[in-house]
């Protein structure tokens, strides 16, 4: 599938035999493998630490930023904005340097990213969960959206893609926020709603269904995820509509619900606890605001920490506040 997510049998067989694949299977709560276009993204803290693909000679290669392999974590003055350069390594280098990679990632990663990884890992480890998370940091190639005029093409990124384990297979697109960071402002709730609205068209959804079909097949062959659905017909097996969710986790006394309400509605809503209407407001900023708000489920939960969410089924409504 050109420009869509999926890997070939050669990459599957080579990666499956690698020590890196074994490391991922041994650390399902720490590492995620996500299918990309002819590559496999390796994530720790929802932070991509490596990209695995086939070199021209047919052997595996790993692209990794030099930051992760450095002794940065040992420095007394740690400026986490420091950027390294992309380097090419073999998978064994990732395995032998895993402890160093973890320490450097821990310094750079945010509570939101750590909560993202924790939610996905706990859900996928729960054999009784109704949902399985098959991708994080999802983007869709604009080349696969060539039937859309350029202004209407989706260029954003979604935190998590999940699928319901029983037919009809429901697809969930999820954005996650931790505490009240990045709720308001240009990259906050309104930006995510605009992304949901732009993505909600036949071209993007059809592409996503094709990708999910391939991703599920690839992950099953790699034996990284087990007991996951197998899609035969994308026109028959999936639910009619894609579902959109925004999850807000917080470890503070005050819920972010009021602040979120101020970003959604142009009037104060008492049931949301809104004290102030944000200048970055969905109903004010774009015509589809009111419509897309009704399409999104907003879920809130107070948690002990970003790593201890108490959630092992990401969209089980009983996990969240009423």
């Amino acid at each position: 599938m050109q420009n869509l997510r999926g890997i070939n049998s050669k990459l599957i067989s080579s990666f499956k035999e690698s020590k890196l694949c074994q490391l991922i299977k041994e650390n399902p709560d720490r590492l995620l493998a996500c299918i990309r276009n002819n590559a496999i993204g390796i994530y720790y803290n929802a932070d991509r630490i490596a990209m695995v693909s086939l070199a021209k000679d047919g052997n595996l290669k790993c692209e990794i930023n030099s930051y992760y392999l450095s002794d940065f974590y040992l420095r007394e003055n740690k400026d986490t904005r420091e950027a390294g350069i992309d380097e090419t390594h073999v998978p064994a280098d990732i395995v032998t340097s895993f402890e160093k990679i973890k320490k450097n990632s821990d310094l750079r990663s945010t509570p939101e990213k750590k909560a993202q990884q924790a939610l996905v890992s706990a859900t996928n480890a729960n054999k009784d969960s109704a949902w399985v998370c098959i991708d994080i940091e999802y983007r869709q190639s604009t080349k696969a959206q060539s039937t859309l005029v350029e202004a209407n093409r989706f260029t954003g990124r979604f935190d998590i893609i999940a699928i319901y384990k029983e037919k009809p297979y429901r697809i969930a697109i999820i954005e996650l926020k931790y505490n009240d960071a990045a709720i308001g402002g240009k990259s906050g709730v309104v930006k995510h709603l605009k992304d949901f609205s732009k993505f909600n068209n036949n071209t993007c959804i059809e592409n996503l269904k094709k990708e999910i079909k391939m991703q599920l097949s690839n992950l099953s062959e790699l034996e990284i995820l087990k007991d996951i659905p197998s899609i035969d017909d994308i026109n028959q097996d999936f639910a009619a509509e894609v579902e959109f969710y925004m999850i807000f986790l917080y470890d503070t006394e005050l819920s972010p619900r009021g602040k979120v309400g101020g970003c959604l509605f142009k009037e104060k809503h008492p049931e949301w606890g809104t004290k102030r209407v944000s200048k970055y407001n969905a109903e004010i900023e774009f015509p589809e605001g009111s419509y897309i708000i009704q399409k999104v489920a907003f879920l809130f939960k107070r948690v002990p920490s970003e790593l201890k969410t108490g959630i092992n089924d990401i969209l089980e409504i009983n996990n969240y506040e009423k």
Side-chain angles (χ1 to χ4, degrees):
M1 295 187 301
Q2 190 175 12
N3 302 316
L4 295 178
R5 298 185 176 207
I7 58 177
N8 60 36
S9 58
K10 171 61 176 172
L11 179 52
I12 289 172
S13 60
S14 297
F15 184 70
K16 194 173 178 179
E17 295 171 359
S18 71
K19 291 182 179 180
L20 180 54
C21 186
Q22 187 60 37
L23 182 70
I24 293 167
K25 292 177 181 179
E26 292 171 354
N27 294 271
D29 58 330
R30 314 299 295 277
L31 288 169
L32 296 173
C34 297
I35 305 300
R36 299 292 176 253
N37 182 11
N38 295 319
I40 303 169
I42 311 301
Y43 290 81
Y44 171 81
N45 286 333
D47 178 20
R48 197 187 77 194
I49 59 172
M51 186 74 86
V52 183
S53 60
L54 288 175
K56 290 182 179 179
D57 63 5
N59 293 314
L60 289 178
K61 65 176 182 177
C62 284
E63 300 294 331
I64 183 168
N65 190 281
S66 60
Y67 165 83
Y68 296 107
L69 297 176
S70 71
D71 291 326
F72 180 87
Y73 67 97
L74 294 174
R75 296 183 190 177
E76 187 172 337
N77 181 22
K78 298 180 177 66
D79 183 355
T80 56
R81 294 171 297 177
E82 180 177 312
I85 59 172
D86 289 337
E87 298 177 341
T88 301
H89 289 262
V90 295
D93 293 340
I94 311 301
V95 177
T96 56
S97 301
F98 185 45
E99 291 303 315
K100 181 182 290 188
I101 292 169
K102 287 194 299 181
K103 290 173 181 177
N104 283 324
S105 178
D106 285 340
L107 289 173
R108 177 177 284 184
S109 187
T110 64
E112 182 177 302
K113 288 288 188 183
K114 292 176 181 178
Q116 181 182 352
Q117 178 106 16
L119 279 178
V120 170
S121 297
T123 296
N124 289 353
N126 178 13
K127 64 180 180 62
D128 297 320
S129 65
W131 295 83
V132 59
C133 302
I134 63 168
D135 205 355
I136 65 172
E137 302 301 304
Y138 173 83
R139 303 184 74 172
Q140 189 172 112
S141 169
T142 53
K143 293 180 180 179
Q145 303 173 50
S146 59
T147 57
L148 300 175
V149 297
E150 188 170 352
N152 291 339
R153 293 173 189 171
F154 171 73
T155 57
R157 186 194 306 263
F158 294 132
D159 286 338
I160 301 167
I161 304 294
I163 183 170
Y164 197 67
K165 290 181 179 178
E166 296 182 3
K167 283 187 180 181
Y169 300 121
R170 298 156 57 193
I171 299 172
I173 296 176
I174 305 167
E175 282 294 324
L176 173 68
K177 295 294 182 186
Y178 195 84
N179 288 335
D180 62 358
I183 287 178
K186 294 182 179 180
S187 61
V189 170
V190 175
K191 167 65 165 58
H192 296 313
L193 292 175
K194 287 180 178 179
D195 283 344
F196 286 156
S197 181
K198 181 167 280 191
F199 192 85
N200 194 32
N201 64 76
N202 290 336
T203 297
C204 286
I205 291 173
E206 185 78 1
N207 285 338
L208 176 60
K209 288 178 178 179
K210 291 177 181 177
E211 290 182 309
I212 290 175
K213 182 179 187 295
M214 180 60 73
Q215 287 174 306
L216 288 170
S217 175
N218 292 160
L219 290 168
S220 178
E221 288 183 80
L222 289 169
E223 298 178 353
I224 288 175
L225 287 181
K226 298 180 179 180
D227 301 320
I228 55 177
S230 175
I231 308 299
D232 297 316
D233 187 333
I234 64 170
N235 296 314
Q236 299 293 328
D237 291 353
F238 287 112
E241 295 187 358
V242 168
E243 302 173 22
F244 298 98
Y245 293 83
M246 292 198 72
I247 297 175
F248 300 87
L249 303 181
Y250 62 100
D251 58 23
T252 56
E253 290 289 333
L254 184 65
S255 167
R257 183 185 295 269
K259 189 172 182 179
V260 174
C263 295
L264 298 179
F265 310 107
K266 58 186 176 182
E267 304 291 342
K268 294 180 181 178
H269 280 229
E271 66 271 26
W272 281 78
T274 307
K275 295 182 179 179
R276 183 179 67 86
V277 173
S278 173
K279 66 177 181 179
Y280 300 104
N281 182 280
E283 289 190 335
I284 295 172
E285 277 205 38
F286 68 115
E288 301 85 359
S290 296
Y291 169 75
I292 201 66
I293 288 170
Q294 301 304 315
K295 294 276 292 181
V296 178
F298 299 89
L299 306 176
F300 296 83
K301 183 178 182 181
R302 187 179 180 188
V303 297
S305 74
E306 65 268 27
L307 297 178
K308 297 179 180 179
T309 67
I311 298 170
N312 65 359
D313 197 351
I314 192 167
L315 295 178
E316 169 51 58
I317 300 302
N318 291 328
N319 284 322
Y320 299 93
E321 298 166 4
K322 306 301 182 186

